[in-house]
Amino acid sequence: MLERDGWLRDSFMKWQGAILLGLKWEQGIISMNMPRILAASTLALLMTSVAAPAMAQVVVTMNTVQIFGTIDPAKISDYTDYMAGVNLYDGLVSVDSSGSIIPELAESWTVSDDAKEVTYKIRDDATFADGSPVEASDVVYTVERLLRINQGPANLFADVLAPGSVVAVDAKTVKFTLSKTFAPFLTTVPAIFILNADVVKEHEGTDDAQEWLANNVAGAGAYSLKSWDRGSQMTITRNPDYYKGFTGKPIDEVRWIITNDEATVRSLAASGELTMSSQFQSPETYKALVDMGRFNLVTQDTATAFYLKLNTQIAPTDDIHIRKALALATDYQTIREVILPGGELSTPLPKVFAEFHAGDIPAPVYDLEAAKAEVALSKYAGQPIPITLGYVADTKFEEEISLLMQANLEQLGFVVTQKADPWNVITEIASKPETTPAVNQIFFGPTYPSPDSMFFTQYSSKAAGTWSSMEWVNDPEIDQLIEDARGTGDVAKQAEIYKTLQHKLVDLQPDVFLQTQTVQHAMDKCLTGFEAVPMQSFDYDFTRYQWTC
């Protein structure tokens, strides 16, 4: 969407008045060149008005289906939080669409022979939004604060980074010393968004500036926070002095409107306000937007998986046979081909991680008779089986999947309760096994571009208590396999461990493996630059987008 300042008419009147008032009398006579001056000035103004579109701001309005929970880099954890974070802050490094680590604040890095020391060289021209230089001391402060608060991305560095393990070698060089060999370390560093230590310290108070950073930004990102109403919208604006600069026709302002109501999305598009849809719209909405003629449907395969997460700690999904029955009672084909387009998912790990994927595990099948047999083997056999199916409220495709599951499960003797909650409620109830519903629909993609991100965050007991670990696996054997893979730099050995881990998890059935996500966006034909990135919401870093009209 292009916005033009409506100043031309007013400016012309002010200019005309200024010209008349500014004319000088010479020997009591107005200069005879006045008409020529007026004509030349009028021509100049008209030329300025013709050039005005070049100065017009490029505004992208996108809907997102859940609220931004926080913008504090030490606390962000989910898809929407990172969507804001990756624009408001920069890390030492980032990730491209292939999953490769690319420079950002750091121009280079070196790794010691034992892989326990990583040293980053910060760009000489790297600056924060206020113009002050980014220095190694800012990185040290950011990591120390992250470890103290121990939320958000801190769990990525559990037993890997300790207080005092990050030091400033000089103003532009910072060294990380790992407590142990941690194979995925380089891929986790993009999750550390660097804070302007001097600014944050001014607002530290008694809570490490958590209250202040909940509503303010102190980073080096390409965008600044303009406005934020947690329940309805967030707007960010481009920093013209961004140290990396911009190319082409950059996006000047991004407005996120929070709605998952399909009618509202179609209305925003019809009015011309919407530039880009979320990736969670119904097929009918995508079609309606494309039929308007202004949108392209952009589709890409991703490393994000879609699961029914089964709470292994409460009835009835504490029984392995019930979990197996749920997997067999899932109509995968209808879900993937009718309700929500997606790819086949046979293990917790999407096939995009080809080197580590257990290809010998067959795809799950829909078989109600086999499901009945599993129910008969369970401790709940021969009685009505209450079960709660949770999903994100007002998300049409999730509601349809949940109703499809209900229809199938009722044939097996289940008594189904549907539980639709807003996303912020889901993240709250996921903190305890007793408040986590038996079944939850959850998308989970790589937090960093490594298989470890798919296993540690979801299945390690060290990472339990978040929306991504609603299975509550808590299995010592699973924990050990995850740690073994993290502790070796031998890729072949890692692959062997990860394949064993997938077999163990499929046998344990803590999830129903619905599908891999095929991301879809309806995008204005003038907007380009979307490429799926296998790390949180790094694909919505709007420095990567261009306006082509």
Side-chain angles (χ1 to χ4, degrees):
M1 174 189 290
L2 291 179
E3 287 194 341
R4 302 181 182 179
D5 293 330
W7 51 265
L8 285 176
R9 183 177 293 106
D10 289 343
S11 295
F12 178 82
M13 298 303 295
K14 291 176 182 177
W15 163 85
Q16 190 177 49
I19 288 292
L20 293 173
L21 289 172
L23 290 175
K24 294 184 178 179
W25 288 84
E26 294 184 9
Q27 298 179 351
I29 302 173
I30 295 180
S31 169
M32 296 302 294
N33 287 329
M34 185 176 67
R36 188 174 298 171
I37 292 171
L38 287 172
S41 301
T42 301
L43 178 61
L45 180 64
L46 290 174
M47 291 177 68
T48 301
S49 69
V50 170
M55 297 185 292
Q57 278 210 327
V58 177
V59 178
V60 166
T61 299
M62 176 183 177
N63 79 291
T64 183
V65 300
Q66 60 195 39
I67 67 169
F68 295 88
T70 181
I71 55 172
D72 184 337
K75 302 174 82 169
I76 59 177
S77 64
D78 69 15
Y79 171 89
T80 315
D81 294 349
Y82 272 97
M83 190 184 296
V86 77
N87 287 286
L88 299 172
Y89 289 92
D90 277 2
L92 289 169
V93 292
S94 189
V95 183
D96 66 14
S97 59
S98 70
S100 299
I101 304 302
I102 56 176
E104 197 158 71
L105 290 169
E107 62 185 6
S108 63
W109 53 94
T110 57
V111 182
S112 64
D113 291 339
D114 63 1
K116 289 187 177 180
E117 290 184 355
V118 184
T119 303
Y120 291 90
K121 180 67 175 177
I122 299 170
R123 292 171 55 142
D124 288 335
D125 62 349
T127 58
F128 289 108
D130 66 358
S132 60
V134 178
E135 297 185 337
S137 57
D138 297 299
V139 180
V140 174
Y141 178 83
T142 298
V143 176
E144 292 289 338
R145 179 177 181 272
L146 175 65
L147 296 177
R148 285 196 300 271
I149 293 174
N150 195 29
Q151 296 182 39
N155 67 8
L156 304 181
F157 308 103
D159 302 326
V160 176
L161 293 178
S165 62
V166 181
V167 297
V169 177
D170 58 43
K172 290 290 184 178
T173 309
V174 63
K175 182 172 70 174
F176 290 70
T177 301
L178 280 57
S179 303
K180 60 182 180 181
T181 300
F182 178 48
F185 178 73
L186 291 177
T187 65
T188 64
V189 175
I192 304 174
F193 293 141
I194 306 305
L195 291 163
N196 186 332
D198 290 340
V199 171
V200 177
K201 286 177 182 178
E202 293 177 4
H203 303 277
E204 269 186 330
T206 59
D207 68 346
D208 263 320
Q210 291 183 61
E211 182 177 354
W212 189 78
L213 282 171
N215 300 288
N216 297 277
V217 180
Y223 290 85
S224 301
L225 183 65
K226 181 178 180 180
S227 64
W228 180 20
D229 181 333
R230 278 170 171 75
S232 61
Q233 64 83 29
M234 177 183 286
T235 300
I236 59 175
T237 56
R238 183 170 65 90
N239 174 14
D241 299 320
Y242 180 51
Y243 69 96
K244 289 172 67 175
F246 300 89
T247 59
K249 200 168 187 178
I251 310 306
D252 295 304
E253 185 167 291
V254 181
R255 300 171 180 171
W256 286 294
I257 296 175
I258 301 166
T259 180
N260 52 13
D261 180 72
E262 303 289 344
T264 300
V265 174
R266 292 194 291 270
S267 177
L268 288 168
S271 71
E273 184 173 358
L274 190 74
T275 318
M276 180 177 180
S277 77
S278 83
Q279 59 174 302
F280 300 113
Q281 305 308 143
S282 69
E284 294 81 6
T285 294
Y286 286 124
K287 182 179 184 304
L289 267 59
V290 170
D291 287 346
M292 291 177 187
R294 183 166 63 87
F295 294 92
N296 287 324
L297 184 61
V298 178
T299 301
Q300 291 186 21
D301 292 330
T302 75
T304 297
F306 189 25
Y307 309 92
L308 297 184
K309 288 181 176 282
L310 312 179
N311 185 346
T312 62
Q313 301 300 312
I314 66 167
T317 44
D318 58 343
D319 189 299
I320 179 63
H321 296 292
I322 294 297
R323 299 198 297 272
K324 294 288 186 184
L326 289 170
L328 288 163
T330 302
D331 189 345
Y332 303 93
Q333 185 174 357
T334 297
I335 292 172
R336 288 199 299 259
E337 296 181 6
V338 179
I339 299 176
L340 183 69
E344 185 179 270
L345 182 67
S346 54
T347 85
L349 189 69
K351 292 179 182 178
V352 70
F353 294 100
E355 190 174 3
F356 307 99
H357 185 262
D360 59 328
I361 296 177
V365 296
Y366 173 46
D367 187 337
L368 281 179
E369 289 303 315
K372 289 178 183 177
E374 288 290 346
V375 172
L377 293 172
S378 77
K379 62 185 178 183
Y380 300 105
Q383 57 184 297
I385 307 172
I387 191 167
T388 299
L389 307 183
Y391 65 92
V392 180
D394 299 321
T395 305
K396 184 178 178 181
F397 68 85
E398 292 198 5
E399 180 182 9
E400 291 177 355
I401 291 171
S402 208
L403 291 173
L404 177 63
M405 289 298 301
Q406 177 174 347
N408 291 339
L409 293 177
E410 286 177 345
Q411 298 179 56
L412 306 176
F414 288 89
V415 179
V416 175
T417 298
Q418 298 283 357
K419 192 174 193 299
D421 287 311
W423 179 247
N424 62 312
V425 173
I426 290 174
T427 61
E428 290 173 10
I429 63 178
S431 63
K432 299 177 182 178
E434 59 268 25
T435 56
T436 302
V439 182
N440 295 273
Q441 293 184 48
I442 296 291
F443 285 93
F444 184 80
T447 309
Y448 43 97
S450 165
D452 179 73
S453 67
M454 299 300 291
F455 293 111
F456 177 82
T457 312
Q458 296 191 94
Y459 304 112
S460 172
S461 57
K462 292 180 180 179
T466 74
W467 61 270
S468 56
S469 58
M470 295 175 86
E471 301 90 344
W472 296 97
V473 171
N474 195 25
D475 185 297
E477 188 175 1
I478 298 297
D479 286 348
Q480 190 58 56
L481 285 167
I482 292 171
E483 292 302 317
D484 289 346
R486 295 180 130 205
T488 178
D490 184 331
V491 175
K493 181 65 175 175
Q494 284 181 350
E496 179 185 336
I497 295 169
Y498 284 135
K499 289 175 183 178
T500 299
L501 184 54
Q502 287 167 79
H503 277 275
K504 294 286 186 183
L505 286 166
V506 168
D507 289 343
L508 189 61
Q509 197 79 63
D511 303 282
V512 175
F513 308 115
L514 291 177
Q515 62 188 58
T516 55
Q517 183 187 17
T518 299
V519 66
Q520 296 185 97
H521 288 288
M523 291 176 60
D524 190 294
K525 292 179 178 179
C526 293
L527 183 65
T528 63
F530 174 77
E531 288 191 67
V533 174
M535 181 167 182
Q536 285 288 0
S537 302
F538 279 61
D539 27 25
Y540 304 105
D541 174 351
F542 276 93
T543 62
R544 306 182 186 193
Y545 290 66
Q546 294 284 325
W547 190 261
T548 61
C549 298

